[in-house]
């Protein structure tokens, strides 16, 4: 701050230096004026000025230091009262701008909330005709056409499901209900939803749940498993998907392993980035780059650790490590 203060006052400092130089020059040129007393006066003026600057510095920078430390959260209470008319002008300008930003942000927030509510309402309304379409597709006698239509129906269904949960994720902590949840019913439901797609691709499931219960929110866990199982089926052909659970150091560990095309090692650190699609599947229109991103977003508040390992051409392994009960107690302060 002192460097900025000196820069701000440099024109005044330069004026003082020029005035003192003129006095010395006049005394030097005019032999009737003794030079030594003049130098003494100049030295006293300089010392007096430096003392004045030293005393005035805290007072003149107090307002600007508080403004510099202001966290810009639209609350000007942390900014001290101005001590000069110029500081008052600055404060009034900042206050006016802050009020305008408050109004604009309030309007934008209301618009976003309105659009979110409309989108959620639309998604729920679309689910009704989607359910009717599913019943119609199941009645088709042409099995090839039925499989093709069911695949497209599943894509639409999962895209809508992703959009619905994406809008809810910012408020997920208000929606959590942590309890002991059985893995088998959730996995069976998600596997059944993918049955027609798996049959058309010759994919089966090998499920071995040595640890059957986990501490989590069942609804959000189902969403996470839906994304992981959908990815496993999407990138696999004529193979089994292995699902197994075990307990290690008080944590339940759930492993989902497929024998699909795998993930390039260069892409592995970025698979949870929003909108990222692997370079191996970049040309596939089915890839949105949102599934794993949303999975990671849900895993964080659930205290679930996600780990991915993959070998190109051999498949991928996703590991979910669930928290112990003590982890949630420390988190909530219970």
């Amino acid at each position: 701050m002192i460097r900025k203060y000196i820069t701000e006052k440099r024109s005044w400092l330069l004026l003082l230096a020029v005035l003192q130089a003129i006095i010395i020059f006049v005394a030097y040129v005019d032999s009737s004026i003794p030079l030594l007393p003049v130098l003494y006066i100049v030295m006293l003026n300089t010392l007096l000025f430096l003392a004045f600057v030293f005393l005035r510095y805290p007072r003149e920078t107090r307002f600007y230091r508080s403004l510099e430390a202001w966290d810009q959260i639209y609350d000007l209470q942390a900014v001290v009262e101005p001590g000069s008319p110029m500081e008052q002008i600055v404060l009034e300008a900042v206050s006016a701008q802050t009020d305008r930003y408050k109004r604009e942000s309030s309007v934008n927030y209301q618009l976003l909330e309105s659009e979110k509510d409309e989108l959620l309402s639309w998604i729920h309304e679309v689910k009704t005709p989607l359910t009717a379409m599913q019943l119609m597709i199941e009645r088709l006698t042409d099995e090839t056409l039925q499989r093709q239509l069911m695949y497209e129906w599943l894509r639409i269904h999962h895209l809508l499901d992703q959009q619905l949960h994406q809008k809810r994720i910012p408020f997920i902590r208000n929606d959590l209900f942590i309890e002991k949840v059985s893995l088998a019913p959730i996995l069976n439901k998600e596997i059944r939803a993918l049955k027609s797609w798996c049959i058309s691709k010759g994919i089966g499931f090998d499920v071995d749940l040595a640890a059957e219960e986990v501490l989590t929110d069942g609804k959000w866990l189902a969403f996470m498993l839906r994304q992981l199982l959908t990815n496993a089926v999407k990138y696999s052909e004529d193979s089994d998907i292995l699902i197994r659970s075990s307990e290690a150091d008080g944590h339940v560990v759930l492993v989902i392993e497929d024998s699909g095309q795998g993930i390039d090692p260069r892409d592995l650190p970025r698979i949870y980035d929003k909108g990222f699609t692997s370079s191996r599947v970049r040309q596939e229109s089915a890839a949105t780059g949102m599934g794993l991103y949303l999975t990671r977003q849900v895993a964080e508040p659930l205290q679930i650790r996600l780990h991915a390992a993959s070998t190109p051409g051999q498949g991928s392994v996703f590991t979910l490590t669930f928290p112990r009960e003590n982890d949630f107690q420390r988190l909530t302060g219970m």
Side-chain angles (χ1 to χ4, degrees):
M1 177 62 73
I2 189 155
R3 181 175 297 177
K4 295 179 181 178
Y5 180 75
I6 293 174
T7 303
E8 174 69 20
K9 301 296 184 181
R10 61 185 174 184
S11 58
W12 295 96
L13 294 173
L14 182 61
L15 176 62
L16 176 70
V18 170
L19 291 175
Q20 301 305 310
I22 290 174
I23 294 173
I24 295 174
F25 176 74
V26 170
Y28 177 77
V29 172
D30 190 346
S31 58
S32 64
I33 302 175
L35 181 61
L36 200 59
V38 169
L39 291 176
Y40 181 69
I41 293 173
V42 169
M43 185 184 69
L44 288 178
N45 287 342
T46 303
L47 292 176
L48 183 61
F49 177 78
L50 291 176
F52 175 79
V53 170
F54 178 78
L55 294 174
R56 290 288 300 176
Y57 170 75
R59 181 179 178 84
E60 292 189 8
T61 59
R62 182 169 57 95
F63 172 79
Y64 295 105
R65 277 187 278 112
S66 67
L67 197 62
E68 191 176 47
W70 178 43
D71 56 10
Q72 299 185 13
I73 57 172
Y74 298 158
D75 184 6
L76 290 171
Q77 292 182 355
V79 180
V80 301
E81 289 294 324
S84 69
M86 300 302 292
E87 293 176 358
Q88 182 65 40
I89 292 174
V90 172
L91 183 61
E92 289 175 357
V94 172
S95 299
Q97 188 179 50
T98 300
D99 291 339
R100 180 167 62 86
Y101 284 163
K102 281 183 179 180
R103 292 193 298 270
E104 290 179 355
S105 63
S106 178
V107 171
N108 291 334
Y109 178 78
Q110 291 176 2
L111 288 174
L112 286 174
E113 286 296 304
S114 177
E115 290 179 2
K116 185 193 74 173
D117 292 340
E118 291 173 3
L119 180 59
L120 292 177
S121 176
W122 179 83
I123 291 173
H124 284 295
E125 290 177 4
V126 168
K127 284 186 174 182
T128 301
L130 273 179
T131 303
M133 287 175 60
Q134 183 182 18
L135 296 175
M136 294 176 187
I137 293 171
E138 290 175 350
R139 292 179 188 152
L140 291 174
T141 56
D142 188 333
E143 293 185 0
T144 302
L145 179 61
Q146 185 187 58
R147 287 196 300 269
Q148 292 173 346
L149 288 175
M150 185 56 72
Y151 169 70
E152 298 301 333
W153 181 90
L154 276 172
R155 285 183 60 190
I156 296 173
H157 175 72
H158 282 293
L159 287 172
L160 285 173
D161 183 66
Q162 280 186 355
Q163 190 65 241
L164 177 64
H165 284 82
Q166 184 180 358
K167 296 300 179 183
R168 290 176 173 172
I169 283 176
F171 313 100
I172 184 174
R173 296 185 185 276
N174 300 328
D175 189 42
L176 291 182
F177 184 72
I178 305 300
E179 59 181 344
K180 287 285 186 179
V181 175
S182 179
L183 288 171
I186 297 176
L187 283 167
N188 290 337
K189 180 181 178 181
E190 298 304 325
I191 290 172
R192 281 197 304 270
L194 298 170
K195 181 177 67 174
S196 59
W197 194 11
C198 293
I199 291 174
S200 67
K201 300 189 72 173
I203 294 173
F205 287 89
D206 184 358
V207 182
D208 179 17
L209 302 178
E212 297 184 357
E213 289 190 339
V214 294
L215 187 66
T216 190
D217 182 293
K219 179 180 68 176
W220 286 103
L221 174 62
F223 173 75
M224 291 179 61
L225 294 177
R226 194 175 311 140
Q227 307 311 307
L228 295 175
L229 293 176
T230 300
N231 272 4
V233 174
K234 184 187 298 182
Y235 302 121
S236 299
E237 293 283 349
D238 298 320
S239 59
D240 284 347
I241 296 173
L242 307 179
I243 303 175
R244 58 184 185 273
S245 66
S246 59
E247 187 170 342
D249 193 26
H251 295 273
V252 175
V253 179
L254 180 66
V255 178
I256 300 175
E257 181 178 357
D258 65 67
S259 302
Q261 62 190 42
I263 305 170
D264 193 293
R266 296 172 301 176
D267 297 333
L268 203 55
R270 302 173 58 195
I271 59 174
Y272 298 112
D273 292 350
K274 186 176 183 179
F276 176 75
T277 55
S278 172
S279 57
R280 296 173 63 87
V281 295
R282 194 172 297 278
Q283 302 303 320
E284 295 189 16
S285 59
T288 63
M290 294 299 295
L292 292 178
Y293 165 75
L294 295 176
T295 302
R296 168 61 65 84
Q297 294 298 305
V298 174
E300 290 179 0
L302 290 179
Q303 301 287 296
I304 297 175
R305 295 198 303 271
L306 272 174
H307 179 264
S310 182
T311 302
Q314 298 183 21
S316 304
V317 180
F318 284 88
T319 304
L320 289 79
T321 304
F322 292 86
R324 295 170 295 195
E325 187 172 358
N326 291 340
D327 296 330
F328 276 110
Q329 288 179 347
R330 286 195 297 270
L331 181 66
T332 59
M334 296 173 57

